[in-house]
C-alpha cells in the first residue's frame, strides 16, 4: 500500500497493509490503520466546506496525527502548512494571519480550530499546491514557500532513480515537519510505501533510547544535517555492530565536513554517505553525490555537493575571476513563489526562462561537472541546519523600546556557524539581558535566540559607513 500523489488516493497492496507505516511519538500505525485514519479525518475536514486550494495549518510535533493531517489535506486538494511546536504560539498566529486560514489542526491536543470568518476568504492560490513552508524573513515576516504537485512528482522520480528509495526504505526522521529536510522522509515513505520513524526532541536527547528505537524498527536510511549526527558519532554504541540495518546516510542543509564522513565510515564501514544541496524554494535539494573515500582524498578543501539532478539546470551568475558565482536554479522543482509577496517574487523568481527559476543567494562553483558550495550572499545563515535570517532577530530586539539598535553576528568555526551573538545599543542602564532574551523567546524559536547578548555604547563603522562586523567579532573575543 502507498499513497499515489497523481491520483491523490491510496493504492492497495494487500500484502503490505499490515506493515508499519508510521511509528510516531504517541503510537504506531500500520498502513491499513493509517489509511483509515486519513479517511476519517477527511470526512471531518469536509464538514467545513473549505474552498479548494484553501490553506490548512497543522501545528504539532511528531504525533501520528501530523502525517495523517498532511495526507488528508493532499487528498482534498488543500495546501498544508506544517508548523512545529518549536515555534511559539505567537509565530503560529502570525502565520495564520498571513494566510487568513480558516482551519488549524492541533495534533498534540487532537483538535481542530475553525475561524468561520476566513472560510470564504478569496484566494488566488494554484490549486495544485501541496504545501507551504514558512522560512525566516529579513523584514521580520516569515516567507511562505509554495511547492506544487508537479515539483513533488519531479522530486519523487529523482528519489526513485538516483537515491533508490523503495517500499523497503525505513526512514529515521528527526527534522521538524516545518523544516523541508523532512520532505525526504515524508515523500520517501508515503509515495513508495515505506516506513517512517518519527523521533521527538525529548527522545533525541537520550542517545541509548534513540539507538534502541533505530534497532527496534530496523531503520536503514538516516536523514539529517551534518551537525546533528556529530554528537551521536562520539558514542561507542553508534556503530554497525550495534545498529546493523543502518546502511545509508543522507545529508542536506549544511556544509558536510570530511571529518564527519570519515567518522561515519569508521563506525559504519559498509555504509553509503550521500551529500545534497538545495534551498526550500527548489523542493528540498537539487544536487546529489555519494561521498566515497576517493572523493575525500581528491577534494581536500571542501566536499562537492554533487551532480545536478535531471531536468534541472544550475547557472552561476556574475562569476568572479575564480568562476565563483551566485547559484541560480532552473527547473520543475522550483517553487511558484512566496505566498502573497510579489515584490520579493519579482527579485528571486524572475520569469526569464521557459521553466521557473530561483536566485538562491548562495555562491558556488563547478569542478569536474560537480557543484561546490562557496558561501552565502546575504545575511541568511544556517545554524544546526535551521535557516535563519539574522535581520529577523535584530528586529525583535529593537521592538523593545529600551533597545535603539541591534545586530546579530554568526560566530564561525571554519565554514560552520557555531553560535549567534547579538550586539545592542540601549538607552537605559536598567536593561536586563536575560529579560530581553526571555522576551524574544516568546516570538522566535529557540534556535534563533543568541547565545550571547552584548551591550555596547555604540557600534563601530567602516569607511563605507556600514557597521564593521569584523570589529564586532574582535570586541567579542576580548570580552
Amino acid at each position: 500500500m502507498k499513497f499515489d500523489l497523481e491520483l491523490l488516493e491510496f493504492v492497495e497492496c494487500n500484502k503490505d497493509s499490515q506493515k508499519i507505516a508510521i511509528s510516531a511519538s504517541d503510537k504506531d500505525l500500520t498502513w491499513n490503520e493509517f489509511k483509515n485514519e486519513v479517511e476519517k479525518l477527511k470526512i471531518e475536514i469536509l464538514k467545513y466546506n473549505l474552498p479548494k486550494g484553501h490553506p490548512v495549518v497543522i501545528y504539532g510535533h511528531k504525533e501520528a496525527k501530523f502525517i495523517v493531517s498532511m495526507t488528508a489535506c493532499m487528498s482534498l486538494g488543500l495546501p498544508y502548512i506544517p508548523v512545529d511546536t518549536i515555534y511559539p504560539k505567537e509565530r503560529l498566529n502570525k502565520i495564520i494571519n498571513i494566510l487568513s486560514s480558516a482551519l488549524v489542526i492541533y495534533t498534540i491536543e487532537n483538535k481542530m480550530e475553525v475561524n468561520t470568518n476566513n472560510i470564504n476568504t478569496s484566494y488566488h492560490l494554484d490549486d495544485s499546491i501541496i504545501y507551504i513552508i514558512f522560512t525566516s524573513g529579513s523584514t521580520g515576516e516569515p516567507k511562505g514557500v509554495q511547492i506544487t504537485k508537479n515539483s513533488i512528482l519531479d522530486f519523487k522520480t529523482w528519489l526513485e532513480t538516483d537515491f533508490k528509495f523503495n517500499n523497503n526504505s525505513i526512514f529515521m526522521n528527526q527534522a521538524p515537519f516545518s523544516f523541508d529536510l523532512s520532505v525526504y522522509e515524508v515523500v520517501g515513505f508515503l509515495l513508495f510505501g515505506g516506513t517512517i520513524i518519527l523521533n521527538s526532541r525529548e527522545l533525541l536527547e537520550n542517545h541509548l533510547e534513540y539507538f534502541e528505537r533505530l534497532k527496534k524498527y530496523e531503520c536503514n536510511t538516516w536523514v539529517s544535517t551534518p551537525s546533528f549526527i556529530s554528537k551521536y558519532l562520539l558514542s561507542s554504541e553508534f556503530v554497525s555492530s550495534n545498529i546493523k540495518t543502518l546502511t545509508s546516510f543522507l545529508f542536506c542543509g549544511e556544509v558536510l565536513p570530511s571529518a564527519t564522513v570519515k567518522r561515519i565510515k569508521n563506525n559504519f564501514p559498509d555504509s553509503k554517505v550521500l551529500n545534497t544541496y538545495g534551498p526550500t524554494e527548489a523542493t528540498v535539494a537539487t544536487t546529489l553525490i555519494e561521498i566515497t573515500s576517493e572523493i575525500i582524498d581528491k577534494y581536500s578543501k571542501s566536499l562537492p555537493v554533487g551532480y545536478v539532478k535531471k531536468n534541472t539546470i544550475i547557472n552561476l551568475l556574475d562569476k568572479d575571476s575564480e568562476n565563483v558565482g551566485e547559484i541560480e536554479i532552473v527547473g520543475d522543482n522550483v517553487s511558484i513563489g512566496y505566498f502573497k509577496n510579489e515584490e520579493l517574487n519579482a527579485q528571486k523568481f524572475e520569469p526569464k526562462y521557459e521553466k521557473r527559476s530561483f536566485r538562491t543567494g548562495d555562491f558556488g562553483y563547478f569542478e569536474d561537472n560537480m557543484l561546490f558550495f562557496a558561501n552565502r550572499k546575504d545575511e541568511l545563515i544556517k545554524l544546526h541546519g535551521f535557516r535563519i535570517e539574522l535581520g529577523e532577530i535584530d528586529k525583535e530586539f529593537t521592538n523593545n523600546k529600551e533597545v535603539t539598535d541591534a545586530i546579530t553576528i554568526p560566530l564561525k568555526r571554519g565554514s560552520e556557524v557555531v553560535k549567534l551573538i547579538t550586539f545592542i545599543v540601549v538607552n537605559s542602564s536598567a536593561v536586563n539581558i536575560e529579560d530581553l532574551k526571555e522576551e524574544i523567546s516568546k516570538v522566535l524559536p529557540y534556535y534563533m535566540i543568541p547565545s550571547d547578548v552584548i551591550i555596547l555604547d555604540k557600534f563601530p563603522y567602516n569607511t563605507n559607513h556600514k557597521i564593521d562586523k569584523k570589529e564586532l567579532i574582535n570586541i567579542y573575543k576580548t570580552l
Side-chain angles (χ1 to χ4, degrees), residues 124-359:
H124 300 285
L125 288 180
D126 184 320
D127 64 9
S128 68
I129 293 173
I130 296 296
Y131 65 76
I132 304 174
I133 283 184
F134 278 82
T135 65
S136 181
S138 58
T139 63
E141 295 298 315
K143 298 178 296 187
V145 180
Q146 304 171 103
I147 299 296
T148 63
K149 183 169 75 173
N150 285 341
S151 292
I152 292 295
L153 289 173
D154 178 74
F155 186 59
K156 178 206 173 186
T157 299
W158 189 38
L159 295 184
E160 188 171 28
T161 56
D162 291 13
F163 292 77
K164 307 300 182 185
F165 290 171
N166 54 55
N167 64 349
N168 293 317
S169 296
I170 303 174
F171 299 93
M172 183 288 303
N173 162 264
Q174 56 82 20
F177 295 121
S178 49
F179 181 16
D180 74 315
L181 180 62
S182 66
V183 177
Y184 272 122
E185 304 99 274
V186 172
V187 170
F189 114 87
L190 194 57
L191 299 187
F192 296 111
T195 299
I196 187 169
I197 310 302
L198 310 183
N199 300 285
S200 67
R201 288 189 292 275
E202 294 75 19
L203 177 68
L204 295 176
E205 294 302 316
N206 187 327
H207 291 191
L208 295 181
E209 185 178 344
Y210 179 43
F211 297 156
E212 287 303 312
R213 186 164 171 79
L214 292 179
K215 288 192 289 184
K216 176 181 177 181
Y217 291 96
E218 300 182 335
C219 293
N220 52 35
T221 306
W222 174 289
V223 184
S224 79
T225 60
S227 59
F228 176 83
I229 200 173
S230 298
K231 57 185 177 182
Y232 297 107
L233 288 169
L234 300 175
S235 172
S236 60
E237 299 291 321
F238 193 55
V239 292
S240 59
S241 58
N242 183 41
I243 308 174
K244 296 180 173 61
T245 58
L246 197 50
T247 56
S248 182
F249 294 86
L250 170 58
F251 296 103
C252 195
E254 289 176 325
V255 173
L256 176 62
S258 296
T260 299
V261 181
K262 290 176 181 177
R263 287 197 295 268
I264 293 170
K265 290 292 189 180
N266 182 64
N267 290 16
F268 297 85
D270 298 323
S271 67
K272 179 169 61 175
V273 178
L274 304 175
N275 194 21
T276 64
Y277 160 81
T280 304
E281 290 85 350
T283 316
V284 188
T286 304
T287 66
L288 166 69
I289 187 171
E290 180 181 354
I291 304 297
T292 62
S293 298
E294 291 74 21
I295 290 287
I296 294 174
D297 292 339
K298 184 174 182 179
Y299 303 101
S300 56
K301 182 181 177 181
S302 63
L303 295 177
V305 294
Y307 299 98
V308 181
K309 66 189 288 293
K310 188 178 180 181
N311 299 324
T312 300
I313 297 171
I314 283 185
N315 298 317
L316 298 180
L317 308 178
D318 305 319
K319 289 189 288 186
D320 62 16
S321 58
E322 296 181 348
N323 287 320
V324 175
E326 183 183 357
I327 298 170
E328 179 187 58
I329 302 172
V330 184
D332 291 332
N333 59 324
V334 172
S335 165
I336 61 172
Y338 300 118
F339 179 78
K340 290 188 176 179
N341 197 333
E342 296 311 314
E343 181 179 350
L344 192 57
N345 287 342
Q347 298 172 22
K348 305 291 281 186
F349 298 92
E350 185 181 352
K352 55 183 177 178
Y353 307 104
E354 184 179 333
K355 293 189 176 182
R356 297 187 296 269
S357 66
F358 174 68
R359 294 188 67 143

Side-chain angles (χ1 to χ4, degrees), residues 342-393:
E342 296 311 314
E343 181 179 350
L344 192 57
N345 287 342
Q347 298 172 22
K348 305 291 281 186
F349 298 92
E350 185 181 352
K352 55 183 177 178
Y353 307 104
E354 184 179 333
K355 293 189 176 182
R356 297 187 296 269
S357 66
F358 174 68
R359 294 188 67 143
T360 64
D362 292 332
F363 276 68
Y365 59 94
F366 280 101
E367 186 175 339
D368 298 330
N369 294 319
M370 293 182 294
L371 181 68
F372 288 73
F373 176 82
N375 51 56
R376 276 295 305 174
K377 178 182 179 181
D378 52 25
E379 289 292 280
L380 191 152
I381 59 97
K382 286 191 176 180
L383 177 62
H384 306 313
F386 292 105
R387 178 170 145 164
I388 299 171
E389 191 86 48
L390 299 176
E392 188 174 2
I393 302 173

